[in-house]
Amino acid sequence: MIGHEKLDVILVQVQPRRQGEVWGPESGVQVTEPDEGNIHQFTAVTPCCVLDVLAPPYDFGGGRPCTYYQVDSRPDGSFWARPVRCPDSYRTRTVPYTGITTKAPATD
């Protein structure tokens, strides 16, 4: 079953870079990269819908699984993530993307 695979419990230190951002319609497309923003959490402050477009898509059999993490803070101010099981309600659907074209922001 997807989401119920064996978990390798390895703690990884994470560094929050973009905490507390509030995005609205005027924010435009938000882009994450493999090395920044890839661990993310959405919390609605008003009724809304989030479309999380992934390219390439998750592929549980091909080495690109969706991994859920529990992030815990330590007294020293550091943050550590550990993999946890996907909720039973988790679903992934693959559909062709026909939306706008965007580029990742340039990095200096």
Side-chain angles (χ1 to χ4, degrees):
M1 259 181 127
I2 293 175
H4 295 281
E5 64 279 349
K6 180 179 179 261
L7 295 174
D8 293 325
V9 181
I10 298 172
L11 291 177
V12 177
Q13 187 170 12
V14 293
Q15 179 62 43
R17 297 183 187 199
R18 297 166 51 173
Q19 285 186 296
E21 292 182 5
V22 177
W23 299 339
E26 69 285 350
S27 302
V29 174
Q30 301 296 312
V31 178
T32 62
E33 298 291 327
D35 59 347
E36 182 177 335
N38 207 6
I39 296 177
H40 51 273
Q41 174 179 328
F42 300 111
T43 304
V45 294
T46 62
C48 65
C49 175
V50 174
L51 176 62
D52 198 3
V53 178
L54 308 166
Y58 293 133
D59 181 353
F60 288 87
R64 288 188 311 277
C66 174
T67 306
Y68 276 76
Y69 292 91
Q70 173 69 45
V71 177
D72 299 309
S73 60
R74 301 268 173 94
D76 66 1
S78 64
F79 292 87
W80 291 80
R82 62 181 168 82
V84 296
R85 299 205 183 284
C86 294
D88 289 336
S89 61
Y90 173 78
R91 300 290 181 268
T92 296
R93 291 178 180 39
T94 300
V95 296
Y97 177 71
T98 59
I100 63 173
T101 300
T102 186
K103 293 183 181 178
T107 57
D108 296 329

